[in-house]
PDB file of all heavy atoms in Angstrom:
ATOM      1  N   GLY A  16      -7.060 -14.034   1.330  1.00 91.00           N
ATOM      2  CA  GLY A  16      -7.073 -13.372   0.026  1.00 91.00           C
ATOM      3  C   GLY A  16      -8.109 -12.271  -0.102  1.00 91.00           C
ATOM      4  O   GLY A  16      -8.559 -11.967  -1.197  1.00 91.00           O
ATOM      5  N   VAL A  17      -8.506 -11.697   1.033  1.00 94.00           N
ATOM      6  CA  VAL A  17      -9.475 -10.608   1.013  1.00 94.00           C
ATOM      7  C   VAL A  17      -8.790  -9.312   1.426  1.00 94.00           C
ATOM      8  O   VAL A  17      -7.735  -9.318   2.058  1.00 94.00           O
ATOM      9  CB  VAL A  17     -10.672 -10.871   1.952  1.00 94.00           C
ATOM     10  CG1 VAL A  17     -11.338 -12.203   1.616  1.00 94.00           C
ATOM     11  CG2 VAL A  17     -10.254 -10.835   3.417  1.00 94.00           C
ATOM     12  N   SER A  18      -9.383  -8.198   1.051  1.00 94.00           N
ATOM     13  CA  SER A  18      -8.879  -6.891   1.472  1.00 94.00           C
ATOM     14  C   SER A  18     -10.037  -6.104   2.044  1.00 94.00           C
ATOM     15  O   SER A  18     -11.190  -6.290   1.656  1.00 94.00           O
ATOM     16  CB  SER A  18      -8.287  -6.161   0.262  1.00 94.00           C
ATOM     17  OG  SER A  18      -7.478  -5.085   0.694  1.00 94.00           O
ATOM     18  N   MET A  19      -9.736  -5.195   2.971  1.00 93.00           N
ATOM     19  CA  MET A  19     -10.804  -4.521   3.710  1.00 93.00           C
ATOM     20  C   MET A  19     -10.547  -3.010   3.762  1.00 93.00           C
ATOM     21  O   MET A  19      -9.419  -2.562   3.955  1.00 93.00           O
ATOM     22  CB  MET A  19     -10.890  -5.096   5.126  1.00 93.00           C
ATOM     23  CG  MET A  19     -12.126  -4.677   5.892  1.00 93.00           C
ATOM     24  SD  MET A  19     -12.399  -5.833   7.278  1.00 93.00           S
ATOM     25  CE  MET A  19     -13.796  -5.078   8.102  1.00 93.00           C
ATOM     26  N   VAL A  20     -11.625  -2.251   3.562  1.00 93.00           N
ATOM     27  CA  VAL A  20     -11.584  -0.795   3.706  1.00 93.00           C
ATOM     28  C   VAL A  20     -12.363  -0.457   4.973  1.00 93.00           C
ATOM     29  O   VAL A  20     -13.558  -0.747   5.057  1.00 93.00           O
ATOM     30  CB  VAL A  20     -12.197  -0.074   2.484  1.00 93.00           C
ATOM     31  CG1 VAL A  20     -12.137   1.434   2.669  1.00 93.00           C
ATOM     32  CG2 VAL A  20     -11.467  -0.485   1.202  1.00 93.00           C
ATOM     33  N   PHE A  21     -11.701   0.193   5.922  1.00 89.00           N
ATOM     34  CA  PHE A  21     -12.292   0.451   7.224  1.00 89.00           C
ATOM     35  C   PHE A  21     -12.976   1.810   7.298  1.00 89.00           C
ATOM     36  O   PHE A  21     -12.664   2.730   6.533  1.00 89.00           O
ATOM     37  CB  PHE A  21     -11.240   0.361   8.340  1.00 89.00           C
ATOM     38  CG  PHE A  21     -10.636  -1.006   8.509  1.00 89.00           C
ATOM     39  CD1 PHE A  21      -9.476  -1.361   7.823  1.00 89.00           C
ATOM     40  CD2 PHE A  21     -11.217  -1.930   9.361  1.00 89.00           C
ATOM     41  CE1 PHE A  21      -8.916  -2.607   7.971  1.00 89.00           C
ATOM     42  CE2 PHE A  21     -10.655  -3.202   9.510  1.00 89.00           C
ATOM     43  CZ  PHE A  21      -9.504  -3.538   8.831  1.00 89.00           C
ATOM     44  N   GLN A  22     -13.872   1.932   8.262  1.00 85.00           N
ATOM     45  CA  GLN A  22     -14.568   3.190   8.502  1.00 85.00           C
ATOM     46  C   GLN A  22     -13.580   4.296   8.856  1.00 85.00           C
ATOM     47  O   GLN A  22     -13.744   5.451   8.451  1.00 85.00           O
ATOM     48  CB  GLN A  22     -15.570   2.989   9.647  1.00 85.00           C
ATOM     49  CG  GLN A  22     -16.348   4.235  10.030  1.00 85.00           C
ATOM     50  CD  GLN A  22     -17.325   3.948  11.151  1.00 85.00           C
ATOM     51  OE1 GLN A  22     -17.464   2.821  11.611  1.00 85.00           O
ATOM     52  NE2 GLN A  22     -18.021   4.975  11.598  1.00 85.00           N
ATOM     53  N   SER A  23     -12.533   3.962   9.596  1.00 82.00           N
ATOM     54  CA  SER A  23     -11.563   4.955  10.055  1.00 82.00           C
ATOM     55  C   SER A  23     -10.424   5.189   9.063  1.00 82.00           C
ATOM     56  O   SER A  23      -9.470   5.906   9.361  1.00 82.00           O
ATOM     57  CB  SER A  23     -10.972   4.505  11.382  1.00 82.00           C
ATOM     58  OG  SER A  23     -10.298   3.266  11.217  1.00 82.00           O
ATOM     59  N   TYR A  24     -10.525   4.539   7.861  1.00 76.00           N
ATOM     60  CA  TYR A  24      -9.487   4.608   6.816  1.00 76.00           C
ATOM     61  C   TYR A  24      -8.243   3.826   7.188  1.00 76.00           C
ATOM     62  O   TYR A  24      -7.666   3.128   6.362  1.00 76.00           O
ATOM     63  CB  TYR A  24      -9.094   6.049   6.445  1.00 76.00           C
ATOM     64  CG  TYR A  24     -10.229   7.014   6.276  1.00 76.00           C
ATOM     65  CD1 TYR A  24     -10.110   8.337   6.686  1.00 76.00           C
ATOM     66  CD2 TYR A  24     -11.455   6.602   5.728  1.00 76.00           C
ATOM     67  CE1 TYR A  24     -11.151   9.237   6.535  1.00 76.00           C
ATOM     68  CE2 TYR A  24     -12.501   7.492   5.587  1.00 76.00           C
ATOM     69  CZ  TYR A  24     -12.349   8.799   5.998  1.00 76.00           C
ATOM     70  OH  TYR A  24     -13.381   9.670   5.871  1.00 76.00           O
ATOM     71  N   ALA A  25      -7.761   3.961   8.463  1.00 81.00           N
ATOM     72  CA  ALA A  25      -6.605   3.202   8.958  1.00 81.00           C
ATOM     73  C   ALA A  25      -5.364   3.400   8.111  1.00 81.00           C
ATOM     74  O   ALA A  25      -4.593   2.463   7.883  1.00 81.00           O
ATOM     75  CB  ALA A  25      -6.954   1.712   9.050  1.00 81.00           C
ATOM     76  N   ILE A  26      -5.167   4.621   7.592  1.00 87.00           N
ATOM     77  CA  ILE A  26      -3.928   4.887   6.883  1.00 87.00           C
ATOM     78  C   ILE A  26      -2.896   5.471   7.866  1.00 87.00           C
ATOM     79  O   ILE A  26      -3.269   6.032   8.896  1.00 87.00           O
ATOM     80  CB  ILE A  26      -4.134   5.829   5.684  1.00 87.00           C
ATOM     81  CG1 ILE A  26      -4.617   7.201   6.143  1.00 87.00           C
ATOM     82  CG2 ILE A  26      -5.098   5.229   4.683  1.00 87.00           C
ATOM     83  CD1 ILE A  26      -4.706   8.211   5.015  1.00 87.00           C
ATOM     84  N   TRP A  27      -1.607   5.321   7.550  1.00 89.00           N
ATOM     85  CA  TRP A  27      -0.566   5.744   8.468  1.00 89.00           C
ATOM     86  C   TRP A  27      -0.183   7.187   8.179  1.00 89.00           C
ATOM     87  O   TRP A  27       0.331   7.513   7.105  1.00 89.00           O
ATOM     88  CB  TRP A  27       0.648   4.826   8.322  1.00 89.00           C
ATOM     89  CG  TRP A  27       0.341   3.451   8.826  1.00 89.00           C
ATOM     90  CD1 TRP A  27       0.322   3.034  10.129  1.00 89.00           C
ATOM     91  CD2 TRP A  27       0.007   2.293   8.047  1.00 89.00           C
ATOM     92  NE1 TRP A  27      -0.016   1.694  10.205  1.00 89.00           N
ATOM     93  CE2 TRP A  27      -0.200   1.227   8.938  1.00 89.00           C
ATOM     94  CE3 TRP A  27      -0.146   2.071   6.672  1.00 89.00           C
ATOM     95  CZ2 TRP A  27      -0.560  -0.047   8.510  1.00 89.00           C
ATOM     96  CZ3 TRP A  27      -0.490   0.809   6.242  1.00 89.00           C
ATOM     97  CH2 TRP A  27      -0.688  -0.234   7.168  1.00 89.00           C
ATOM     98  N   PRO A  28      -0.385   8.098   9.146  1.00 88.00           N
ATOM     99  CA  PRO A  28      -0.143   9.531   8.903  1.00 88.00           C
ATOM    100  C   PRO A  28       1.322   9.883   8.681  1.00 88.00           C
ATOM    101  O   PRO A  28       1.611  10.890   8.049  1.00 88.00           O
ATOM    102  CB  PRO A  28      -0.691  10.181  10.179  1.00 88.00           C
ATOM    103  CG  PRO A  28      -0.678   9.106  11.214  1.00 88.00           C
ATOM    104  CD  PRO A  28      -0.921   7.844  10.486  1.00 88.00           C
ATOM    105  N   HIS A  29       2.249   9.057   9.207  1.00 90.00           N
ATOM    106  CA  HIS A  29       3.671   9.382   9.048  1.00 90.00           C
ATOM    107  C   HIS A  29       4.238   8.931   7.724  1.00 90.00           C
ATOM    108  O   HIS A  29       5.403   9.242   7.387  1.00 90.00           O
ATOM    109  CB  HIS A  29       4.471   8.713  10.188  1.00 90.00           C
ATOM    110  CG  HIS A  29       4.416   7.214  10.151  1.00 90.00           C
ATOM    111  ND1 HIS A  29       3.289   6.504  10.529  1.00 90.00           N
ATOM    112  CD2 HIS A  29       5.337   6.292   9.778  1.00 90.00           C
ATOM    113  CE1 HIS A  29       3.536   5.215  10.396  1.00 90.00           C
ATOM    114  NE2 HIS A  29       4.763   5.052   9.932  1.00 90.00           N
ATOM    115  N   MET A  30       3.424   8.221   6.907  1.00 94.00           N
ATOM    116  CA  MET A  30       3.889   7.772   5.591  1.00 94.00           C
ATOM    117  C   MET A  30       3.313   8.647   4.494  1.00 94.00           C
ATOM    118  O   MET A  30       2.286   9.298   4.655  1.00 94.00           O
ATOM    119  CB  MET A  30       3.435   6.323   5.340  1.00 94.00           C
ATOM    120  CG  MET A  30       4.056   5.270   6.202  1.00 94.00           C
ATOM    121  SD  MET A  30       3.491   3.625   5.656  1.00 94.00           S
ATOM    122  CE  MET A  30       4.246   2.567   6.895  1.00 94.00           C
ATOM    123  N   THR A  31       3.974   8.642   3.350  1.00 96.00           N
ATOM    124  CA  THR A  31       3.423   9.306   2.172  1.00 96.00           C
ATOM    125  C   THR A  31       2.285   8.467   1.603  1.00 96.00           C
ATOM    126  O   THR A  31       2.086   7.306   1.980  1.00 96.00           O
ATOM    127  CB  THR A  31       4.485   9.477   1.070  1.00 96.00           C
ATOM    128  OG1 THR A  31       4.893   8.169   0.632  1.00 96.00           O
ATOM    129  CG2 THR A  31       5.677  10.257   1.584  1.00 96.00           C
ATOM    130  N   VAL A  32       1.557   9.074   0.675  1.00 96.00           N
ATOM    131  CA  VAL A  32       0.481   8.349  -0.010  1.00 96.00           C
ATOM    132  C   VAL A  32       1.068   7.103  -0.702  1.00 96.00           C
ATOM    133  O   VAL A  32       0.502   6.005  -0.599  1.00 96.00           O
ATOM    134  CB  VAL A  32      -0.203   9.273  -1.039  1.00 96.00           C
ATOM    135  CG1 VAL A  32      -1.094   8.480  -1.985  1.00 96.00           C
ATOM    136  CG2 VAL A  32      -1.006  10.355  -0.330  1.00 96.00           C
ATOM    137  N   PHE A  33       2.174   7.278  -1.393  1.00 97.00           N
ATOM    138  CA  PHE A  33       2.796   6.128  -2.096  1.00 97.00           C
ATOM    139  C   PHE A  33       3.122   5.015  -1.118  1.00 97.00           C
ATOM    140  O   PHE A  33       2.805   3.838  -1.379  1.00 97.00           O
ATOM    141  CB  PHE A  33       4.083   6.608  -2.818  1.00 97.00           C
ATOM    142  CG  PHE A  33       4.730   5.529  -3.625  1.00 97.00           C
ATOM    143  CD1 PHE A  33       4.482   5.429  -4.996  1.00 97.00           C
ATOM    144  CD2 PHE A  33       5.579   4.589  -3.047  1.00 97.00           C
ATOM    145  CE1 PHE A  33       5.084   4.424  -5.746  1.00 97.00           C
ATOM    146  CE2 PHE A  33       6.182   3.594  -3.788  1.00 97.00           C
ATOM    147  CZ  PHE A  33       5.930   3.498  -5.150  1.00 97.00           C
ATOM    148  N   ASP A  34       3.757   5.361   0.000  1.00 95.00           N
ATOM    149  CA  ASP A  34       4.169   4.325   0.942  1.00 95.00           C
ATOM    150  C   ASP A  34       2.979   3.640   1.604  1.00 95.00           C
ATOM    151  O   ASP A  34       3.050   2.439   1.922  1.00 95.00           O
ATOM    152  CB  ASP A  34       5.092   4.926   2.007  1.00 95.00           C
ATOM    153  CG  ASP A  34       6.456   5.288   1.442  1.00 95.00           C
ATOM    154  OD1 ASP A  34       6.855   4.671   0.431  1.00 95.00           O
ATOM    155  OD2 ASP A  34       7.110   6.188   1.995  1.00 95.00           O
ATOM    156  N   ASN A  35       1.899   4.366   1.848  1.00 94.00           N
ATOM    157  CA  ASN A  35       0.686   3.760   2.374  1.00 94.00           C
ATOM    158  C   ASN A  35       0.154   2.684   1.452  1.00 94.00           C
ATOM    159  O   ASN A  35      -0.172   1.566   1.887  1.00 94.00           O
ATOM    160  CB  ASN A  35      -0.386   4.817   2.618  1.00 94.00           C
ATOM    161  CG  ASN A  35      -0.450   5.310   4.038  1.00 94.00           C
ATOM    162  OD1 ASN A  35      -1.017   4.670   4.910  1.00 94.00           O
ATOM    163  ND2 ASN A  35       0.170   6.463   4.274  1.00 94.00           N
ATOM    164  N   VAL A  36       0.081   3.016   0.180  1.00 95.00           N
ATOM    165  CA  VAL A  36      -0.462   2.069  -0.804  1.00 95.00           C
ATOM    166  C   VAL A  36       0.497   0.916  -1.032  1.00 95.00           C
ATOM    167  O   VAL A  36       0.097  -0.235  -1.252  1.00 95.00           O
ATOM    168  CB  VAL A  36      -0.773   2.801  -2.130  1.00 95.00           C
ATOM    169  CG1 VAL A  36      -1.286   1.818  -3.175  1.00 95.00           C
ATOM    170  CG2 VAL A  36      -1.823   3.890  -1.901  1.00 95.00           C
ATOM    171  N   ALA A  37       1.788   1.218  -0.950  1.00 94.00           N
ATOM    172  CA  ALA A  37       2.799   0.177  -1.226  1.00 94.00           C
ATOM    173  C   ALA A  37       2.992  -0.791  -0.074  1.00 94.00           C
ATOM    174  O   ALA A  37       3.559  -1.882  -0.251  1.00 94.00           O
ATOM    175  CB  ALA A  37       4.136   0.848  -1.542  1.00 94.00           C
ATOM    176  N   TYR A  38       2.504  -0.435   1.108  1.00 91.00           N
ATOM    177  CA  TYR A  38       2.808  -1.216   2.311  1.00 91.00           C
ATOM    178  C   TYR A  38       2.480  -2.717   2.157  1.00 91.00           C
ATOM    179  O   TYR A  38       3.322  -3.577   2.406  1.00 91.00           O
ATOM    180  CB  TYR A  38       2.065  -0.633   3.502  1.00 91.00           C
ATOM    181  CG  TYR A  38       2.369  -1.352   4.806  1.00 91.00           C
ATOM    182  CD1 TYR A  38       3.518  -1.067   5.535  1.00 91.00           C
ATOM    183  CD2 TYR A  38       1.511  -2.334   5.292  1.00 91.00           C
ATOM    184  CE1 TYR A  38       3.812  -1.735   6.705  1.00 91.00           C
ATOM    185  CE2 TYR A  38       1.784  -3.018   6.463  1.00 91.00           C
ATOM    186  CZ  TYR A  38       2.933  -2.717   7.168  1.00 91.00           C
ATOM    187  OH  TYR A  38       3.215  -3.387   8.323  1.00 91.00           O
ATOM    188  N   GLY A  39       1.252  -3.007   1.744  1.00 87.00           N
ATOM    189  CA  GLY A  39       0.836  -4.400   1.621  1.00 87.00           C
ATOM    190  C   GLY A  39       1.617  -5.171   0.573  1.00 87.00           C
ATOM    191  O   GLY A  39       1.881  -6.378   0.721  1.00 87.00           O
ATOM    192  N   LEU A  40       2.019  -4.479  -0.479  1.00 91.00           N
ATOM    193  CA  LEU A  40       2.802  -5.127  -1.530  1.00 91.00           C
ATOM    194  C   LEU A  40       4.210  -5.439  -1.028  1.00 91.00           C
ATOM    195  O   LEU A  40       4.781  -6.492  -1.363  1.00 91.00           O
ATOM    196  CB  LEU A  40       2.857  -4.206  -2.761  1.00 91.00           C
ATOM    197  CG  LEU A  40       1.496  -3.830  -3.380  1.00 91.00           C
ATOM    198  CD1 LEU A  40       1.680  -2.755  -4.450  1.00 91.00           C
ATOM    199  CD2 LEU A  40       0.821  -5.057  -3.953  1.00 91.00           C
ATOM    200  N   ARG A  41       4.767  -4.516  -0.255  1.00 92.00           N
ATOM    201  CA  ARG A  41       6.110  -4.762   0.302  1.00 92.00           C
ATOM    202  C   ARG A  41       6.110  -5.887   1.324  1.00 92.00           C
ATOM    203  O   ARG A  41       7.082  -6.661   1.409  1.00 92.00           O
ATOM    204  CB  ARG A  41       6.643  -3.466   0.912  1.00 92.00           C
ATOM    205  CG  ARG A  41       7.015  -2.417  -0.143  1.00 92.00           C
ATOM    206  CD  ARG A  41       7.277  -1.075   0.482  1.00 92.00           C
ATOM    207  NE  ARG A  41       7.771  -0.125  -0.528  1.00 92.00           N
ATOM    208  CZ  ARG A  41       7.742   1.202  -0.374  1.00 92.00           C
ATOM    209  NH1 ARG A  41       7.295   1.721   0.761  1.00 92.00           N
ATOM    210  NH2 ARG A  41       8.209   1.985  -1.324  1.00 92.00           N
ATOM    211  N   VAL A  42       5.032  -5.966   2.117  1.00 87.00           N
ATOM    212  CA  VAL A  42       4.897  -7.061   3.076  1.00 87.00           C
ATOM    213  C   VAL A  42       4.901  -8.408   2.338  1.00 87.00           C
ATOM    214  O   VAL A  42       5.451  -9.404   2.838  1.00 87.00           O
ATOM    215  CB  VAL A  42       3.596  -6.896   3.906  1.00 87.00           C
ATOM    216  CG1 VAL A  42       3.291  -8.178   4.675  1.00 87.00           C
ATOM    217  CG2 VAL A  42       3.752  -5.732   4.875  1.00 87.00           C
ATOM    218  N   ARG A  43       4.320  -8.418   1.128  1.00 88.00           N
ATOM    219  CA  ARG A  43       4.280  -9.632   0.320  1.00 88.00           C
ATOM    220  C   ARG A  43       5.589  -9.855  -0.436  1.00 88.00           C
ATOM    221  O   ARG A  43       5.698 -10.767  -1.242  1.00 88.00           O
ATOM    222  CB  ARG A  43       3.107  -9.587  -0.648  1.00 88.00           C
ATOM    223  CG  ARG A  43       1.763  -9.739   0.064  1.00 88.00           C
ATOM    224  CD  ARG A  43       0.577  -9.438  -0.894  1.00 88.00           C
ATOM    225  NE  ARG A  43      -0.696  -9.698  -0.215  1.00 88.00           N
ATOM    226  CZ  ARG A  43      -1.284  -8.882   0.636  1.00 88.00           C
ATOM    227  NH1 ARG A  43      -0.717  -7.710   0.939  1.00 88.00           N
ATOM    228  NH2 ARG A  43      -2.437  -9.209   1.197  1.00 88.00           N
ATOM    229  N   LYS A  44       6.557  -8.966  -0.180  1.00 90.00           N
ATOM    230  CA  LYS A  44       7.913  -9.082  -0.746  1.00 90.00           C
ATOM    231  C   LYS A  44       7.920  -9.087  -2.285  1.00 90.00           C
ATOM    232  O   LYS A  44       8.697  -9.841  -2.930  1.00 90.00           O
ATOM    233  CB  LYS A  44       8.615 -10.345  -0.204  1.00 90.00           C
ATOM    234  CG  LYS A  44       8.710 -10.370   1.316  1.00 90.00           C
ATOM    235  CD  LYS A  44       9.603 -11.495   1.792  1.00 90.00           C
ATOM    236  CE  LYS A  44       9.607 -11.585   3.319  1.00 90.00           C
ATOM    237  NZ  LYS A  44       9.998 -10.332   3.984  1.00 90.00           N
ATOM    238  N   LEU A  45       7.108  -8.232  -2.881  1.00 91.00           N
ATOM    239  CA  LEU A  45       7.135  -8.077  -4.324  1.00 91.00           C
ATOM    240  C   LEU A  45       8.355  -7.249  -4.724  1.00 91.00           C
ATOM    241  O   LEU A  45       8.800  -6.391  -3.961  1.00 91.00           O
ATOM    242  CB  LEU A  45       5.851  -7.360  -4.802  1.00 91.00           C
ATOM    243  CG  LEU A  45       4.673  -8.251  -5.193  1.00 91.00           C
ATOM    244  CD1 LEU A  45       4.169  -9.057  -3.996  1.00 91.00           C
ATOM    245  CD2 LEU A  45       3.540  -7.418  -5.783  1.00 91.00           C
ATOM    246  N   PRO A  46       8.878  -7.460  -5.916  1.00 93.00           N
ATOM    247  CA  PRO A  46      10.022  -6.672  -6.392  1.00 93.00           C
ATOM    248  C   PRO A  46       9.662  -5.167  -6.430  1.00 93.00           C
ATOM    249  O   PRO A  46       8.526  -4.813  -6.680  1.00 93.00           O
ATOM    250  CB  PRO A  46      10.289  -7.208  -7.802  1.00 93.00           C
ATOM    251  CG  PRO A  46       9.651  -8.583  -7.809  1.00 93.00           C
ATOM    252  CD  PRO A  46       8.490  -8.514  -6.879  1.00 93.00           C
ATOM    253  N   ALA A  47      10.658  -4.325  -6.222  1.00 94.00           N
ATOM    254  CA  ALA A  47      10.429  -2.886  -6.149  1.00 94.00           C
ATOM    255  C   ALA A  47       9.753  -2.337  -7.416  1.00 94.00           C
ATOM    256  O   ALA A  47       8.874  -1.484  -7.336  1.00 94.00           O
ATOM    257  CB  ALA A  47      11.745  -2.164  -5.908  1.00 94.00           C
ATOM    258  N   ALA A  48      10.181  -2.822  -8.575  1.00 95.00           N
ATOM    259  CA  ALA A  48       9.606  -2.344  -9.836  1.00 95.00           C
ATOM    260  C   ALA A  48       8.125  -2.695  -9.917  1.00 95.00           C
ATOM    261  O   ALA A  48       7.291  -1.888 -10.390  1.00 95.00           O
ATOM    262  CB  ALA A  48      10.355  -2.941 -11.021  1.00 95.00           C
ATOM    263  N   GLU A  49       7.771  -3.899  -9.461  1.00 94.00           N
ATOM    264  CA  GLU A  49       6.375  -4.333  -9.474  1.00 94.00           C
ATOM    265  C   GLU A  49       5.540  -3.531  -8.479  1.00 94.00           C
ATOM    266  O   GLU A  49       4.391  -3.191  -8.734  1.00 94.00           O
ATOM    267  CB  GLU A  49       6.286  -5.826  -9.171  1.00 94.00           C
ATOM    268  CG  GLU A  49       4.919  -6.438  -9.432  1.00 94.00           C
ATOM    269  CD  GLU A  49       4.904  -7.947  -9.267  1.00 94.00           C
ATOM    270  OE1 GLU A  49       5.998  -8.570  -9.371  1.00 94.00           O
ATOM    271  OE2 GLU A  49       3.810  -8.499  -9.023  1.00 94.00           O
ATOM    272  N   VAL A  50       6.145  -3.241  -7.321  1.00 94.00           N
ATOM    273  CA  VAL A  50       5.454  -2.402  -6.325  1.00 94.00           C
ATOM    274  C   VAL A  50       5.138  -1.037  -6.916  1.00 94.00           C
ATOM    275  O   VAL A  50       4.008  -0.551  -6.831  1.00 94.00           O
ATOM    276  CB  VAL A  50       6.323  -2.250  -5.043  1.00 94.00           C
ATOM    277  CG1 VAL A  50       5.722  -1.172  -4.142  1.00 94.00           C
ATOM    278  CG2 VAL A  50       6.426  -3.571  -4.317  1.00 94.00           C
ATOM    279  N   ARG A  51       6.139  -0.401  -7.529  1.00 95.00           N
ATOM    280  CA  ARG A  51       5.940   0.929  -8.101  1.00 95.00           C
ATOM    281  C   ARG A  51       4.865   0.905  -9.188  1.00 95.00           C
ATOM    282  O   ARG A  51       4.006   1.789  -9.246  1.00 95.00           O
ATOM    283  CB  ARG A  51       7.251   1.464  -8.660  1.00 95.00           C
ATOM    284  CG  ARG A  51       7.153   2.832  -9.327  1.00 95.00           C
ATOM    285  CD  ARG A  51       8.509   3.444  -9.527  1.00 95.00           C
ATOM    286  NE  ARG A  51       9.127   3.791  -8.258  1.00 95.00           N
ATOM    287  CZ  ARG A  51       8.859   4.892  -7.586  1.00 95.00           C
ATOM    288  NH1 ARG A  51       7.969   5.786  -8.047  1.00 95.00           N
ATOM    289  NH2 ARG A  51       9.452   5.144  -6.439  1.00 95.00           N
ATOM    290  N   GLU A  52       4.900  -0.098 -10.044  1.00 95.00           N
ATOM    291  CA  GLU A  52       3.941  -0.191 -11.137  1.00 95.00           C
ATOM    292  C   GLU A  52       2.513  -0.343 -10.598  1.00 95.00           C
ATOM    293  O   GLU A  52       1.575   0.316 -11.066  1.00 95.00           O
ATOM    294  CB  GLU A  52       4.276  -1.404 -12.022  1.00 95.00           C
ATOM    295  CG  GLU A  52       3.342  -1.593 -13.206  1.00 95.00           C
ATOM    296  CD  GLU A  52       3.679  -2.823 -14.019  1.00 95.00           C
ATOM    297  OE1 GLU A  52       4.821  -3.335 -13.889  1.00 95.00           O
ATOM    298  OE2 GLU A  52       2.810  -3.288 -14.775  1.00 95.00           O
ATOM    299  N   ASN A  53       2.342  -1.217  -9.569  1.00 93.00           N
ATOM    300  CA  ASN A  53       1.013  -1.432  -9.005  1.00 93.00           C
ATOM    301  C   ASN A  53       0.511  -0.190  -8.286  1.00 93.00           C
ATOM    302  O   ASN A  53      -0.663   0.151  -8.386  1.00 93.00           O
ATOM    303  CB  ASN A  53       1.056  -2.624  -8.027  1.00 93.00           C
ATOM    304  CG  ASN A  53       0.837  -3.948  -8.706  1.00 93.00           C
ATOM    305  OD1 ASN A  53       0.048  -4.039  -9.659  1.00 93.00           O
ATOM    306  ND2 ASN A  53       1.543  -4.969  -8.289  1.00 93.00           N
ATOM    307  N   VAL A  54       1.377   0.479  -7.541  1.00 95.00           N
ATOM    308  CA  VAL A  54       0.955   1.679  -6.811  1.00 95.00           C
ATOM    309  C   VAL A  54       0.534   2.762  -7.780  1.00 95.00           C
ATOM    310  O   VAL A  54      -0.520   3.411  -7.593  1.00 95.00           O
ATOM    311  CB  VAL A  54       2.095   2.175  -5.898  1.00 95.00           C
ATOM    312  CG1 VAL A  54       1.717   3.538  -5.286  1.00 95.00           C
ATOM    313  CG2 VAL A  54       2.367   1.184  -4.791  1.00 95.00           C
ATOM    314  N   GLN A  55       1.305   2.994  -8.822  1.00 95.00           N
ATOM    315  CA  GLN A  55       0.941   3.991  -9.799  1.00 95.00           C
ATOM    316  C   GLN A  55      -0.377   3.672 -10.483  1.00 95.00           C
ATOM    317  O   GLN A  55      -1.200   4.557 -10.765  1.00 95.00           O
ATOM    318  CB  GLN A  55       2.071   4.151 -10.825  1.00 95.00           C
ATOM    319  CG  GLN A  55       3.314   4.803 -10.249  1.00 95.00           C
ATOM    320  CD  GLN A  55       4.475   4.847 -11.226  1.00 95.00           C
ATOM    321  OE1 GLN A  55       4.493   4.114 -12.228  1.00 95.00           O
ATOM    322  NE2 GLN A  55       5.458   5.732 -10.968  1.00 95.00           N
ATOM    323  N   ARG A  56      -0.583   2.374 -10.743  1.00 94.00           N
ATOM    324  CA  ARG A  56      -1.827   1.942 -11.411  1.00 94.00           C
ATOM    325  C   ARG A  56      -3.044   2.266 -10.542  1.00 94.00           C
ATOM    326  O   ARG A  56      -4.002   2.858 -11.001  1.00 94.00           O
ATOM    327  CB  ARG A  56      -1.753   0.439 -11.695  1.00 94.00           C
ATOM    328  CG  ARG A  56      -3.078  -0.154 -12.231  1.00 94.00           C
ATOM    329  CD  ARG A  56      -2.923  -1.665 -12.496  1.00 94.00           C
ATOM    330  NE  ARG A  56      -2.593  -2.380 -11.263  1.00 94.00           N
ATOM    331  CZ  ARG A  56      -3.531  -2.810 -10.402  1.00 94.00           C
ATOM    332  NH1 ARG A  56      -4.812  -2.572 -10.610  1.00 94.00           N
ATOM    333  NH2 ARG A  56      -3.163  -3.481  -9.305  1.00 94.00           N
ATOM    334  N   VAL A  57      -2.984   1.880  -9.255  1.00 94.00           N
ATOM    335  CA  VAL A  57      -4.176   2.062  -8.415  1.00 94.00           C
ATOM    336  C   VAL A  57      -4.368   3.526  -8.013  1.00 94.00           C
ATOM    337  O   VAL A  57      -5.501   3.991  -7.838  1.00 94.00           O
ATOM    338  CB  VAL A  57      -4.141   1.156  -7.156  1.00 94.00           C
ATOM    339  CG1 VAL A  57      -4.216  -0.314  -7.580  1.00 94.00           C
ATOM    340  CG2 VAL A  57      -2.939   1.420  -6.282  1.00 94.00           C
TER     341      VAL A  57
END
C-alpha cells in the first residue's frame, strides 16, 4: 500500500501524460470513469 517517486522519474516516454498517471489505476482494474476522474484530479 505504498507508492514511490524515483530519482529517475521512471515515467514511460511512449505514453501520454494521462496514460502514465492512469497506469497504476488500470493495473488495479478500476472502472474507466473512476480512472479518468482520479487522473484529472491529481
Side-chain angles (χ1 to χ4, degrees):
V17 304
S18 195
M19 192 160 175
V20 180
F21 295 92
Q22 179 179 357
S23 61
Y24 315 144
I26 63 174
W27 291 281
H29 63 286
M30 293 185 184
T31 64
V32 168
F33 183 96
D34 289 334
N35 263 280
V36 177
Y38 182 82
L40 301 172
R41 288 169 174 162
V42 167
R43 289 170 175 80
K44 303 189 184 304
L45 269 63
E49 191 174 337
V50 169
R51 178 165 292 278
E52 181 183 342
N53 273 323
V54 172
Q55 290 175 341
R56 173 180 61 85
V57 295

